[in-house]
Amino acid sequence: MYKITDQLKNIGFSINRLDYIITRNNNKREFSTLDYFCIYIILEDIQLTVENVPYSLKKGNIAFVGPQKKIVFGETKRSDVYSIAFSSSFYERSTKDSLFINSQLFYNYNSEIFIAPFINIEQMRVIFLERMESFRKKDESLYISAAHNAIERLMLDAFFHIPTEEIKKDIKFDYMYYVNRFKVLLQRDYKKAKKVAYYAGELNISSRKLTEMTEYVLGKTAKHIIIEKLITECKKALAFSNATISEISYELGFSNEGNFTNFIKKHTGKNPSEMK
């Protein structure tokens, strides 16, 4: 039986290297997920056997495994695999959270495991793993909040690799699909498109439907999400760019400096010149 780490027992979340959890498991490579949800960050090739079914995982993938599963880790050269384990009580804070952890990521229709790629191994190591360790050393409440956000980020990224028709088998999972696509489109087009209707059109749904979806998944209207994105980008540009306010307003897609100034003033209470 897998010996639960102190951290997992105390707060319902842990992240550890594979060699550490194997050592705590009396050097045995067989585990049970018990009541925990597990995410494995694969930074080197490994064979993972789940419920007696072998999976050859290449580095650069994330594996999602649900509760009450028997897992055997294959041999590795560096143990460069990280295990994230968390309880439902640790993660579930909202209806959206419940949808995430009860999704195909952990309860896959076709397999005992769900595998999704991530883009950059060093980015995963530095931004995710080292950042989490920094929070752990600094403050437990910050660490818990960072852990929740990190889990959600990994799950959101993985949702892109579930076929649309499969997502729609789950009630409201089409909402998450469209909201995720909206966020991707917003990142790409926020400079040229600032209206909900544009993004709804790109998604082939109505503006009202898009707002219904964002309110359900994120608790905010689509318009509010667009404004938040614009304010964030405006603040960054004003803080770090050497360009003039007029040049910044043009770069961010505003028709003139006056409209840019009015937008900033309305949503922050400050003029651009005060923020620069």
Side-chain angles (χ1 to χ4, degrees), residues 104-276:
Q104 292 182 58
L105 297 183
F106 296 107
Y107 298 99
N108 200 342
Y109 295 142
N110 306 312
S111 172
E112 297 292 348
I113 185 173
F114 188 90
I115 303 165
F118 58 86
I119 296 171
N120 189 307
I121 289 177
E122 279 311 303
Q123 186 180 63
M124 177 65 75
R125 194 189 302 278
V126 174
I127 295 180
F128 181 76
L129 300 173
E130 293 184 8
R131 181 170 173 265
M132 287 299 301
E133 180 62 13
S134 297
F135 276 117
R136 187 187 68 79
K137 291 177 179 178
K138 189 175 182 67
D139 180 82
E140 183 174 276
S141 61
L142 281 175
Y143 179 68
I144 290 171
S145 180
H148 187 279
N149 291 341
I151 292 169
E152 179 166 285
R153 177 179 170 180
L154 293 175
M155 290 194 286
L156 276 170
D157 289 345
F159 266 102
F160 280 110
H161 302 282
I162 301 177
T164 307
E165 61 272 19
E166 290 293 322
I167 290 177
K168 290 183 177 180
K169 290 180 181 177
D170 293 297
I171 186 167
K172 299 297 185 185
F173 272 88
D174 57 330
Y175 279 33
M176 280 192 284
Y177 170 78
Y178 281 108
V179 170
N180 290 343
R181 291 298 306 153
F182 167 51
K183 289 165 74 176
V184 170
L185 290 168
L186 182 59
Q187 178 62 36
R188 187 189 74 187
D189 295 340
Y190 71 88
K191 292 181 181 179
K192 72 173 185 179
K194 299 173 173 56
K195 300 289 187 182
V196 174
Y198 168 83
Y199 296 98
E202 289 290 296
L203 295 167
N204 293 315
I205 57 177
S206 68
S207 298
R208 182 176 179 180
K209 189 66 177 178
L210 178 56
T211 289
E212 178 186 326
M213 291 174 173
T214 59
E215 286 183 326
Y216 184 88
V217 175
L218 302 174
K220 302 172 184 177
T221 65
K223 181 179 179 180
H224 187 78
I225 293 164
I226 294 170
I227 290 170
E228 280 188 339
K229 173 64 177 173
L230 287 169
I231 288 296
T232 297
E233 296 300 327
C234 289
K235 286 180 176 178
K236 285 196 305 189
L238 289 166
F240 301 113
S241 174
N242 292 323
T244 66
I245 292 174
S246 180
E247 289 169 338
I248 290 171
S249 66
Y250 178 77
E251 171 64 21
L252 293 175
F254 289 85
S255 57
N256 56 62
E257 184 179 340
N259 285 342
F260 176 70
T261 298
N262 291 338
F263 177 81
I264 295 292
K265 181 73 173 178
K266 178 179 179 180
H267 295 290
T268 69
K270 297 180 179 179
N271 288 314
S273 55
E274 298 176 72
M275 301 170 68
K276 191 162 174 61

Side-chain angles (χ1 to χ4, degrees), residues 35-74:
D35 291 324
Y36 297 100
F37 296 81
C38 296
I39 304 174
Y40 302 113
I41 300 174
I42 313 298
L43 300 180
E44 71 169 310
D45 296 354
I46 187 173
Q47 179 159 299
L48 199 63
T49 301
V50 183
E51 292 296 305
N52 299 315
V53 178
Y55 300 88
S56 294
L57 301 181
K58 298 293 184 183
K59 66 179 180 181
N61 282 288
I62 305 173
F64 296 79
V65 181
Q68 305 301 335
K69 297 287 176 68
K70 183 178 72 175
I71 299 175
V72 182
F73 288 97

